Amino acid sequence: VGTVSVGVLAGRLPRRLLLAAGPGLITLGLLLIAAAGDWPVFLLGFLVMGMGAGIIDAGVNALFMDLYAGHAAMLNRLHLFFALGALTVPLVVGLSVSWGAPWQAVAIASAIAAVPLAAILGTRRLPPTHPPMDSATAAAERGARGPGERRRVPLPLLVLAIAIGCYVAMELGVSNWLVRYLDEVSLEVATLALSLFWASLALGRLVSSFIVDRMGAVAFATTWSAACGVAILAAIGVPSVPLSILCFAIAGFAAGPVYPMIMAIGGSLYPGRASTVSSVLASAAIVGSILYPPLMGVVSEAAGLWFSMLGAALFAFAAAGCIRVAARLGGVRDAREAVPARS
């Protein structure tokens, strides 16, 4: 609901108010969770917090698309911090609880931390949701290529949505089930492998932010998504556990830039519509996270977790193919054309 609202409310609410609602709802949701005396209130808190997280996800992606149009490296740097949060915060929370802090206190502290974020986003001067377009861009938006072409304009975005859904299905499928897949080793080693996966993903985004604008977002995203699939195949095919862990780490490094690059490609295909593009793509990513990772457990009962990990690799290849198809449908003939250099 939060990600969809960014696209629906774009242009109807000032951008700073919509973005400030993200951490504001996260604060409210965490306070409800901490104060909950029964399950309905506890679940309501998670629903409210989830709405806020969705607004942050789609809204901040759209903001970076408008602030740094044609500069895909900045989306990689943004998502570097998504990965760092996923890597470090669970560790901090786990240590706090293990040292005796009540979980309610951790939730309240997290809620308090979100308050200044809401204040900052709500008071900044931000670019408009739909920035002014020059005459050429406006003509393209009206469908200057003809009535038949106009009806096909949403198709590249739809294919990109499938691509990002496949990518997230792979990413969360691997991360959610990696510890279980490595059940023959100790829990400490298995959780270390998971940490390496997320650390490598963050490193992949950092490294990519320095080189992506030289290669182009389409070629970069397709190459690394396919490389991620190859690394997962290697991880489930090698007979050595240390080599398998290394291959999963390589898969994380290759996966790192794919999500932000899909966002960058979508923003470049639909200039001036960053909020709508981000909303559609972030919503499709959530669909991918809901469908396949839980299904992996069902599949593993019938065919084994190895087969489920094979499916994750196939999703990485599917994401690469969809990115390439979306670029062709959007008229991107050259890899660099999707993310033009800044003047």
Side-chain angles (χ1 to χ4, degrees):
V1 173
T3 56
V4 171
S5 69
V6 170
V8 172
L9 297 177
R12 295 177 173 87
L13 285 178
R15 175 175 249 163
R16 65 179 185 275
L17 295 182
L18 184 59
L19 286 180
L25 288 171
I26 289 174
T27 298
L28 177 60
L30 284 167
L31 292 177
L32 285 172
I33 289 168
D38 50 41
W39 277 106
V41 177
F42 190 75
L43 295 177
L44 175 63
F46 271 98
L47 289 173
V48 173
M49 185 176 67
M51 288 180 61
I55 291 173
I56 287 293
D57 190 358
V60 175
N61 273 300
L63 176 63
F64 268 62
M65 289 180 196
D66 286 336
L67 284 174
Y68 304 102
H71 198 45
M74 296 309 297
L75 275 169
N76 261 301
R77 293 174 190 173
L78 168 66
H79 282 268
L80 166 64
F81 286 89
F82 277 82
L84 290 176
L87 174 66
T88 59
V89 174
L91 176 62
V92 173
V93 171
L95 289 175
S96 299
V97 174
S98 67
W99 290 340
W103 67 265
Q104 294 93 335
V106 176
I108 293 172
S110 301
I112 293 172
V115 172
L117 299 179
I120 291 170
L121 288 171
T123 56
R124 297 302 91 184
R125 181 175 295 176
L126 302 176
T129 304
H130 298 310
M133 293 181 288
D134 57 31
S135 58
T137 304
E141 287 288 310
R142 291 193 300 269
R145 297 181 182 179
E149 188 73 14
R150 185 178 184 178
R151 289 192 295 270
R152 291 163 50 191
V153 166
L155 187 56
L157 183 59
L158 174 62
V159 178
L160 275 182
I162 296 172
I164 206 166
C166 289
Y167 165 80
V168 172
M170 174 278 300
E171 178 197 86
L172 292 187
V174 171
S175 64
N176 286 1
W177 289 95
L178 181 55
V179 173
R180 179 68 181 84
Y181 180 77
L182 298 173
D183 61 350
E184 64 183 83
V185 299
S186 67
L187 182 62
E188 290 80 5
V189 173
T191 52
L192 174 62
L194 179 59
S195 296
L196 285 175
F197 176 82
W198 279 108
S200 297
L201 190 143
L203 181 62
R205 288 175 177 171
L206 176 62
V207 172
S208 299
S209 69
F210 293 103
I211 61 177
V212 62
D213 287 336
R214 301 175 185 176
M215 185 175 180
V218 175
F220 203 88
T222 53
T223 299
W224 286 106
S225 185
C228 176
V230 171
I232 295 173
L233 290 179
I236 63 177
V238 295
S240 167
V241 172
L243 283 177
S244 179
I245 292 174
L246 176 61
C247 289
F248 276 119
I250 294 172
F253 182 87
V258 178
Y259 188 110
M261 288 303 92
I262 294 174
M263 284 284 182
I265 294 166
S268 63
L269 289 176
Y270 296 91
R273 294 293 179 263
S275 292
T276 300
V277 169
S278 180
S279 176
V280 169
L281 294 181
S283 299
I286 292 173
V287 172
S289 71
I290 291 173
L291 293 182
Y292 189 62
L295 183 62
M296 288 180 70
V298 178
V299 173
S300 66
E301 289 295 323
L305 196 50
W306 182 92
F307 193 80
S308 297
M309 285 292 186
L310 173 63
L314 296 179
F315 272 117
F317 292 125
C322 288
I323 293 168
R324 179 62 65 180
V325 170
R328 288 184 176 274
L329 290 173
V332 179
R333 303 180 185 276
D334 180 77
R336 298 183 62 85
E337 191 176 332
V339 184
R342 299 174 89 185
S343 58

